[in-house]
Amino acid sequence: MGEPESLVPDTGAVFTFGKTKFAENIPSKFWFKNDIPICLSCGDEHTAIVTGNNKLYMFGSNNWGQLGLGSKSAISKPTCIKALKPEKVKLAACGRNHTLVSTDKGGVYAAGGNNEGQLGLGDTDDRDTFHQICFFTPKDSIKQLSAGANTSAALTEDGKLFMWGDNSEGQIGLKNKSNVCIPHEVTVGKPISWISCGYYHSAFVTTDGELYTFGEPENGKLGLPNQLLINHRSPQRVLGIPEKVLQVACGGGHTVVLTEKVVYAFGLGQFGQLGLGTFLFETSEPRVIECIKDQKISFISCGENHTALMTDVGLMYTFGDGRHGKLGLGMENFTNQFFPTLCCNFLKFTVQLIACGGCHMLVFATPRLDAIDESEFEE
Amino acid sequence: ASEASEAQTLDSDDIIVTPQSQSCPKADSEKMCIEIVSLAFCPEAEVMSDENIQQVYVEYKFYDLPLSETETPVSLRKPRAGEEIHFHFNKVIDLDPVEQQGRRQFLFAMLHAQDPEEGRLKFTVVSDPLDEKNECQDVGYAYLELWQVLQSGSDILEQELKIVSPGDQAIQIGRLKVSLRAAAALHSIYKEMTEDLFS
Ligand SMILES: [Mg+2]
Ligand SMILES: [Mg+2]
């Protein structure tokens, strides 16, 4: 960044970091005329943006057709998906190489790679345009979408969770199948309030604040003691977190959990993505990220090997793999961060939305009238 | 896949992209990048059993740059047997032909060195004591031959260098993974300096 913030309109801008395919991967920013983002999602190498006018914009890698533009050419500029224009797009989720969107009419659409049936269309043929998943009807009001390496999930307003795609590790919660091409319900007998698909593992939160994990059991990313890993193909409750859980975010090998009070991390942290310091590179026991305990965290996001936290006053902390400048802490000179690190670039902004992907991160932020003094944040 | 044509960027009128702050990023021939990627120790190396060594960092020296810019900003727990620790510490060094003649001359001298000791970039693995009472201690050295890059004309990407013992450089104690993106700059420096010599 570095240029005067006055360049950003009051309605804010989307900031890009890392290998976005946008602006030759140089940290950059853009905004919409008379429109603002309401939902951001990053896949491995592609990005989806839903705006307040309910339009869907896509850019990035497209070799599986995951941008839904009817071609497989990479796109370097956010491009509106006109085919969806008759409907109002509400949500989008990018998996490694596929994309899910939901609309106001209750429709759920999918495009991109489909080798494990992650498009939910009943087959394993890739699609380079958005196709409606017939399983969902207008009465299924979608609250949240999530997508993993080759997995998909849709959570309804009334707390029902549906998943489909790759189940080789049990990451969509079915015991005996290697994959399914149509949505199936995942249930623990009570309503679900949050879902996150990692690369090869998944986690959800129930409305009463319990955390469940399932999928690939290695490296502690399920947060479960060893004796429970044999049942990794079914959602199991993570007992190591005593407080009420609000959100969960799954990355490539790690899991981050937001409770009413603090943030926990577990799994693999060889690049610092757990934020637990320079001595702990793996843990199956959920650990509190102590150094941000005095901040009220309101949102968490995990990329493959990095993590971002948003505070209630719109500040942002990042940590993990610093390559390609995806932590928003400098592009040319970078390093892995093993503790949550304040993104000083955003002291003059209120961070509104964050999405972390494979090697990139997108942030939507609006200018702050009362800039925060950096010195307030020195240790 | 090729980049999409502008014609495909439908509705792009709705999007405003700000001009780049670095409107023309520095040419490859005017900078070099050194990345200290990761390190591992040999399971049988003495450093593994030395309880005084708990955490390590890596540094190198480059002409006028202060060490604070060329050492990994953090020390990481000593890797266990078979484990790698990851720094991903990347430094871009400005080699502007006008403003950084000193650095270019320094690199040229390295490329031309008669003494092989002077023709290589030396990385030092340092033990960072947990208590203030003890001092930092070199635990190993790794060397990167610069002429390799010039000769092959290609950057070094995640190359594993032997880490040798400071006491006996014949003993390998580990592996240091580094990247050096400098082929274009070294080529340009060599060309520029040898033209000077013969003109
Ligand atoms: Mg994702
Ligand atoms: Mg990566």
Side-chain angles (χ1 to χ4, degrees):
Chain A
M1 293 194 287
E3 52 278 58
E5 285 73 19
S6 57
L7 277 177
V8 174
D10 292 344
T11 49
V14 177
F15 298 79
T16 68
F17 302 99
K19 265 168 95 171
T20 54
K21 311 277 164 181
F22 178 78
E24 291 168 10
N25 301 323
I26 292 166
S28 195
K29 56 178 176 277
F30 62 85
W31 57 86
F32 301 91
K33 244 184 236 172
N34 306 316
D35 208 353
I36 54 159
I38 56 164
C39 173
L40 297 179
S41 183
C42 294
D44 210 36
E45 297 186 350
H46 72 296
T47 301
I49 303 164
V50 180
T51 67
N53 292 340
N54 302 107
K55 291 201 258 181
L56 174 68
Y57 290 83
M58 303 285 305
F59 64 95
S61 286
N62 194 21
N63 28 2
W64 303 84
Q66 62 264 49
L67 303 186
L69 282 162
S71 79
K72 290 188 175 169
S73 316
I75 301 285
S76 61
K77 228 172 155 185
T79 301
C80 186
I81 309 302
K82 293 214 157 159
L84 286 171
K85 264 191 169 171
E87 301 204 34
K88 290 185 166 183
V89 177
K90 305 278 278 186
L91 298 169
C94 297
R96 188 169 58 191
N97 55 28
H98 72 296
T99 309
L100 305 172
V101 303
S102 69
T103 64
D104 63 334
K105 291 184 183 136
V108 179
Y109 296 78
N114 194 24
N115 54 320
E116 300 290 343
Q118 62 265 42
L119 300 189
L121 300 170
D123 58 41
T124 55
D125 303 328
D126 299 345
R127 304 289 201 289
D128 61 16
T129 55
F130 282 97
H131 282 63
Q132 186 164 10
I133 302 175
C134 300
F135 179 87
F136 295 100
T137 63
K139 68 176 176 7
D140 300 306
S141 176
I142 305 297
K143 181 185 178 186
Q144 198 190 1
L145 295 171
S146 186
N150 297 311
T151 58
S152 299
L155 179 64
T156 64
E157 289 287 355
D158 56 0
K160 283 189 180 147
L161 173 63
F162 299 92
M163 298 185 77
W164 59 99
D166 186 12
N167 192 51
S168 54
E169 299 285 346
Q171 63 268 56
I172 60 169
L174 285 170
K175 280 208 179 69
N176 301 317
K177 289 186 170 165
S178 65
N179 71 321
V180 288
C181 305
I182 49 165
H184 78 97
E185 187 172 357
V186 180
T187 177
V188 286
K190 47 175 120 184
I192 292 168
S193 57
W194 193 276
I195 171 71
S196 176
C197 297
Y199 275 60
Y200 295 97
H201 73 298
S202 309
F204 61 75
V205 179
T206 58
T207 48
D208 58 358
E210 293 177 353
L211 173 69
Y212 291 80
T213 59
F214 45 113
E216 193 181 68
E218 280 86 37
N219 304 115
K221 60 182 167 290
L222 299 186
L224 299 168
N226 272 336
Q227 66 269 22
L228 294 182
L229 294 183
I230 189 163
N231 298 319
H232 68 95
R233 300 179 70 88
S234 300
Q236 295 186 91
R237 189 172 168 204
V238 177
L239 291 166
I241 297 178
E243 306 105 78
K244 190 176 176 191
V245 174
L246 301 176
Q247 294 174 23
V248 61
C250 298
H254 72 301
T255 307
V256 177
V257 180
L258 175 66
T259 72
E260 280 184 326
K261 291 181 181 147
V262 289
V263 178
Y264 288 82
F266 47 89
L268 204 52
Q270 79 277 42
F271 307 119
Q273 64 267 47
L274 298 179
L276 295 171
T278 55
F279 272 72
L280 189 71
F281 303 140
E282 189 176 325
T283 176
S284 62
E285 185 195 324
R287 302 284 189 105
V288 174
I289 304 178
E290 295 283 344
C291 55
I292 40 111
K293 248 183 151 173
D294 56 339
Q295 301 287 321
K296 174 100 183 92
I297 305 299
S298 59
F299 182 76
I300 56 178
S301 177
C302 288
E304 184 178 12
N305 296 317
H306 70 297
T307 308
L309 310 175
M310 180 162 75
T311 74
D312 61 338
V313 293
L315 294 171
M316 184 171 81
Y317 291 82
T318 58
F319 44 101
D321 188 342
R323 280 193 163 165
H324 312 294
K326 61 180 166 285
L327 299 182
L329 301 168
M331 175 196 55
E332 292 210 306
N333 300 320
F334 56 77
T335 187
N336 292 344
Q337 297 292 341
F338 291 80
F339 289 103
T341 305
L342 182 71
C343 284
C344 294
N345 285 328
F346 289 110
L347 284 173
K348 292 183 173 122
F349 292 89
T350 303
V351 173
Q352 310 278 357
L353 300 168
I354 306 174
C356 298
C359 285
H360 67 304
M361 176 172 76
L362 259 76
V363 176
F364 170 56
T366 49
R368 190 187 283 278
L369 296 174
D370 50 330
I372 291 181
D373 187 0
E374 195 176 332
S375 62
E376 283 177 42
F377 284 90
E378 274 161 20
E379 289 143 290
Chain B
S2 63
E3 296 288 302
S5 68
E6 283 301 302
Q8 266 183 286
T9 59
L10 318 159
D11 265 26
S12 60
D13 289 353
D14 292 345
I15 295 168
I16 295 159
V17 179
T18 59
Q20 300 296 303
S21 49
Q22 303 137 294
S23 48
C24 49
K26 247 189 165 2
D28 285 345
S29 60
E30 299 182 9
K31 66 179 179 193
M32 64 189 277
C33 308
I34 302 177
E35 184 180 348
I36 296 169
V37 179
S38 62
L39 85 77
F41 288 132
C42 304
E44 68 284 0
E46 238 174 86
V47 50
M48 291 299 281
S49 53
D50 186 340
E51 286 187 6
N52 290 318
I53 299 170
Q54 294 286 328
Q55 56 175 0
V56 294
Y57 66 93
V58 184
E59 64 179 28
Y60 58 90
K61 291 191 181 70
F62 189 91
Y63 188 58
D64 60 329
L65 289 175
L67 265 182
S68 61
E69 287 184 31
T70 57
E71 63 184 20
T72 59
V74 291
S75 298
L76 299 181
R77 170 174 60 63
K78 179 169 77 178
R80 300 186 175 133
E83 190 188 31
E84 225 179 327
I85 53 172
H86 303 262
F87 293 97
H88 293 175
F89 171 59
N90 192 65
K91 169 82 184 157
V92 178
I93 299 174
D94 182 12
L95 299 174
D96 187 280
V98 179
E99 287 161 32
Q100 302 297 347
Q101 259 306 307
R103 291 180 189 171
R104 292 175 82 89
Q105 304 257 1
F106 166 78
L107 285 167
F108 182 70
M110 282 180 86
L111 292 170
H112 242 228
Q114 297 297 313
D115 182 354
E117 289 284 318
E118 287 162 21
R120 51 195 197 171
L121 205 56
K122 178 186 181 182
F123 296 91
T124 305
V125 180
V126 186
S127 163
D128 183 5
L130 288 174
D131 51 0
E132 304 278 309
K133 281 172 283 175
N134 294 317
E135 280 181 12
C136 289
Q137 174 202 341
D138 291 1
V139 300
Y141 302 127
Y143 300 96
L144 183 60
E145 310 281 351
L146 274 196
W147 60 264
Q148 267 190 2
V149 178
L150 181 67
Q151 205 170 45
S152 69
S154 41
D155 292 334
I156 284 174
L157 297 176
E158 305 218 354
Q159 184 172 309
E160 286 196 337
L161 309 175
K162 274 184 197 174
I163 302 172
V164 297
S165 165
D168 181 351
Q169 304 227 353
I171 301 174
Q172 182 181 352
I173 62 157
R175 292 165 289 122
L176 179 72
K177 208 182 274 177
V178 300
S179 294
L180 178 69
R181 293 170 184 85
L186 293 182
H187 177 77
S188 139
I189 288 168
Y190 198 82
K191 207 173 143 222
E192 163 192 305
M193 302 286 173
T194 48
E195 269 167 11
D196 285 355
L197 281 177
F198 299 112
S199 62

